[in-house]
Amino acid sequence: MSYTFPVTHTATPKEKPDETQLGFGRYFTDHMFIMDYDEGQGWHDGRIVPYEPISIDPASCVLHYAQMMFEGMKAYRTPSGDIQLFRPDMNFERMNRTNERMCIPAMEEDIFMSAITQLVDVDRDWVPSVQGTSLYIRPFIFGDEVSFSVLPAKRYRFMVILSPVGSYYAANDGGLSTTRIFVEDEYIRAAVGGTGFAKCGGNYAGGMRASKKAAEHQCKDVLWLDAAEHRYVEEIGTSNAFFMINDEVITAPLMGTILPGITRNSVIQLLKKWGIKVSERRLLIEDVVKAAKDGSLKEVFSSGTAAVISPIGCLYYKGEDNQVADGKVGPVAQKVYDTLYGIQTGAVEDDMGWTVKI
Ligand code: COI
């Protein structure tokens, strides 16, 4: 069953930004979706309204105890002008897994899908078409009860906002290029039993101290190591990490500490389909450094909704640069990017059944 929500159209549509200068999360469309939850009533009163600031009580629990979650997904413009989503069912499933961990009420799939598709349809003129661009979709839920009790809220708001975007890393504007990444061996992101697998804001707030350190060392992002020993590679600040050593592509296993990326899952499926050996297993940072030095580290890249495929040319670890091969974009990362972004935008035939037209 699909829902049709009431729409209040904006009286003052905004001027659309230059599609070649979008950056990431700088512009927002004309409308947004809001729905409320009250204990005993469930999710109710979904509606599409003009994009505008919301009012929130200063004592709202989310502002103090951060009971919230978010998702990240994209809509793409195909060569024929259609609009399509990429594996939205995976975002829905991950949302409810996060909700369960954060004590946020579950939502039914039809509400989620109807909210996303109807909002994107209302703002369909905002889906960009320039190479490398898309419409980023940010669904989020937050506890909104006026209370200082450290308990799950009895009231929530579910919202969806949309942002036309280019590359997350400016280095990838107009095509792929490599970034330099800081290997963080002091602070940690997530431990087993924590919230590492959940998409909640606290995971990112706790990571900003390390991102600041990375920026001070002219690095674009952080590569996290495991919490217990600070020795095993986990994920990049915004994305999952892949390491190609000789002919094996290795990525961290899903042990509850890393985000189960939808792009990560898609990359694994594509590599397997192409007959490239891919392993979800623990990998020591010492082995990565050793491989960089002896030349067996062929490629490193990250994958994510925002990051898409971001090749890494250098890993800065314990005061030393470890160049990955020749420091340039590798053929595997390039092929994964071309295929994945091609499927997402309809330029490459979707023989995986991943895209959903709006
Ligand atoms: C996404 O890729 O959708 C994310 O949520 C990463 C974001 C923190 C930039």
Side-chain angles (χ1 to χ4, degrees):
M1 165 179 151
S2 73
Y3 293 86
T4 304
F5 298 106
V7 182
T8 308
H9 286 277
T10 182
T12 51
K14 293 179 243 188
E15 198 180 315
K16 303 216 175 32
D18 175 352
E19 287 189 11
T20 64
Q21 306 289 324
L22 291 173
F24 188 83
R26 294 214 303 258
Y27 304 99
F28 294 90
T29 65
D30 283 326
H31 299 90
M32 63 187 187
F33 179 86
I34 309 192
M35 190 173 209
D36 304 307
Y37 176 96
D38 285 274
E39 198 174 67
Q41 198 180 355
W43 290 106
H44 64 93
D45 285 300
R47 60 224 183 253
I48 291 172
V49 295
Y51 185 101
E52 61 182 3
I54 54 171
S55 103
I56 188 162
D57 194 293
S60 177
C61 56
V62 68
L63 299 179
H64 304 271
Y65 307 132
Q67 192 198 6
M68 68 83 65
M69 66 79 55
F70 69 94
E71 265 301 324
M73 52 204 288
K74 283 175 169 172
Y76 304 86
R77 176 84 61 190
T78 70
S80 58
D82 290 341
I83 293 169
Q84 59 189 27
L85 301 174
F86 182 72
R87 308 188 75 184
D89 52 319
M90 300 270 288
N91 292 94
F92 166 72
E93 284 163 19
R94 188 171 63 183
M95 176 183 75
N96 272 344
R97 288 198 304 274
T98 300
N99 287 4
E100 203 278 326
R101 180 64 179 82
M102 302 301 291
C103 298
I104 293 171
M107 178 175 290
E108 56 175 278
E109 185 163 10
D110 291 341
I111 293 182
F112 179 82
M113 288 306 302
S114 303
I116 303 289
T117 50
Q118 202 186 333
L119 181 65
V120 172
D121 192 35
V122 166
D123 278 341
R124 60 189 300 124
D125 289 351
W126 284 84
V127 183
S129 55
V130 161
Q131 168 71 22
T133 64
S134 55
L135 184 73
Y136 187 77
I137 304 170
R138 177 55 69 88
F140 58 107
I141 304 176
F142 56 96
D144 191 24
E145 185 183 348
V146 174
S147 168
F148 280 168
S149 299
V150 184
L151 288 171
K154 296 187 178 67
R155 298 192 66 236
Y156 296 85
R157 279 194 243 180
F158 168 51
M159 299 186 63
V160 187
I161 55 176
L162 309 174
S163 173
V165 297
S167 299
Y168 185 82
Y169 296 111
N172 289 332
D173 271 344
L176 292 188
S177 57
T178 53
T179 56
R180 187 158 169 264
I181 297 291
F182 185 88
V183 183
E184 175 57 62
D185 62 347
E186 179 190 5
Y187 302 114
I188 57 138
R189 175 181 176 276
V192 175
T195 57
F197 69 92
K199 215 152 166 55
C200 59
N203 287 346
Y204 297 84
M208 285 176 192
R209 186 64 192 81
S211 310
K212 200 166 162 237
K213 243 167 92 182
E216 283 160 12
H217 288 86
Q218 290 73 51
C219 291
K220 286 276 181 248
D221 213 330
V222 172
L223 171 64
W224 293 106
L225 301 178
D226 74 291
E229 297 183 61
H230 299 205
R231 290 180 73 203
Y232 293 95
V233 297
E234 294 231 314
E235 70 178 52
I236 311 273
T238 58
S239 41
N240 296 115
F242 289 82
F243 301 81
M244 185 166 189
I245 300 182
N246 293 318
D247 59 358
E248 180 190 16
V249 179
I250 305 156
T251 192
L254 301 180
M255 292 168 41
T257 55
I258 66 163
L259 195 79
I262 292 152
T263 318
R264 172 188 179 278
N265 174 283
S266 310
V267 171
I268 292 172
Q269 288 196 50
L270 286 176
L271 293 175
K272 284 187 178 161
K273 189 172 117 182
W274 297 334
I276 296 177
K277 183 174 177 200
V278 50
S279 313
E280 294 174 69
R281 65 170 175 87
R282 300 192 90 192
L283 174 65
L284 288 165
I285 185 66
E286 293 113 81
D287 287 345
V288 175
V289 168
K290 193 164 146 276
K293 292 200 193 312
D294 70 20
S296 55
L297 183 63
K298 305 294 181 205
E299 294 192 33
V300 181
F301 60 90
S302 78
S303 73
T305 301
V308 196
I309 299 298
S310 292
I312 292 159
C314 180
L315 294 165
Y316 181 78
Y317 178 53
K318 290 193 187 295
E320 212 180 289
D321 272 335
N322 297 275
Q323 186 172 299
V324 181
D326 60 1
K328 304 215 171 78
V329 178
V332 174
Q334 187 70 56
K335 182 171 175 185
V336 173
Y337 175 82
D338 290 343
T339 308
L340 196 65
Y341 184 69
I343 291 175
Q344 289 167 335
T345 54
V348 168
E349 195 204 339
D350 176 14
D351 55 0
M352 308 297 277
W354 283 341
T355 51
V356 177
K357 287 244 168 6
I358 289 193

